[in-house]
Amino acid sequence: MNDTMVTLVGNVATSVEYRDTATGGVARFRFAVTARRWDRERGTWTDGHTSFYTVFAWRALGANLAASVSVGEPLVVHGRLRVREEDVPDEGRPPEARRRTFVDIDAVAVGHDLTRGTAAFRRVVKGEPRTTERQGNGGEGVVERDPWEVAEVPKVLEPAA
C-alpha cells in the first residue's frame, strides 16, 4: 500500500480524548503546527500560518498518549496522512460552500520534542493493565487505576559531596 507518511513538529491543541473500542482503545487530539521562518530584515524568527490536524492513535500508543500528554506540550508526530472531504449541513450556504476538508494523521509514533524541554520515559510492563484501563472491583462499579502503580518511579541519586 502506498501511504503518505509525514512527520510533524508542533503543539497539542486540545486535551487527549481516549475511548475503549472493540479492537482496542483509540486516542484523539488536535495538533497545531506553525511554520517559522528567519526574517533577515528584523533579525528574528517570525511565525507563519498555523495548520491544525486531528491525530488518531490506536491501541497501546493511544493509551500511553492519554496518560502522558497535556494541552500545550510540544510533540513530534509521525504517521499516515489522511485527507478527507465531507459535506457539512448548513442550509444557509450554497452546496459548494458546505464541503469541508479535514486532515487527519493516523499516528505510528509520538514523542515529546526534546529541543524544547525534558521528559522522563517509563516503560509499560507487558501483562500489567495499562494506565488508562479501568479495573473492575467485583461488580461494585469501576475504579480508575493510578498511573504511578504501573511503572516504578526511578530514584534520583544525589551527587557525592
Side-chain angles (χ1 to χ4, degrees), residues 108-155:
V108 173
V110 178
H112 284 101
D113 182 357
L114 298 181
T115 62
R116 298 193 274 164
T118 62
F121 181 80
R122 289 184 303 277
R123 184 175 303 275
V124 176
V125 179
K126 290 188 178 191
E128 288 192 24
R130 294 186 310 252
T131 58
T132 54
E133 255 184 22
R134 293 178 166 227
Q135 301 297 311
N137 56 357
E140 299 177 15
V142 178
V143 176
E144 290 288 334
R145 184 162 172 96
D146 186 338
W148 294 107
E149 291 178 2
V150 174
E152 182 179 324
V153 179
K155 295 179 182 175

Side-chain angles (χ1 to χ4, degrees), residues 22-102:
T23 59
V26 62
R28 178 181 75 174
F29 67 96
R30 297 283 286 162
F31 192 58
V33 177
T34 302
R36 297 200 76 196
R37 66 176 183 82
W38 180 255
D39 186 341
R40 288 185 186 187
E41 293 175 9
R42 294 183 187 166
T44 61
W45 287 96
T46 58
D47 288 339
H49 176 74
T50 300
S51 298
F52 289 90
Y53 302 87
T54 302
V55 177
F56 292 92
W58 299 88
R59 294 172 287 287
L61 177 58
N64 292 339
L65 262 170
S68 304
V69 172
S70 300
V71 173
E73 292 182 351
L75 296 180
V76 178
V77 174
H78 180 72
R80 291 174 193 83
L81 180 68
R82 303 273 188 238
V83 179
R84 58 189 169 88
E85 290 187 358
E86 292 182 11
D87 287 325
V88 177
D90 187 354
E91 299 302 323
R93 294 181 167 203
E96 62 275 3
R98 292 185 217 148
R99 196 95 175 131
R100 295 279 190 254
T101 302
F102 298 93

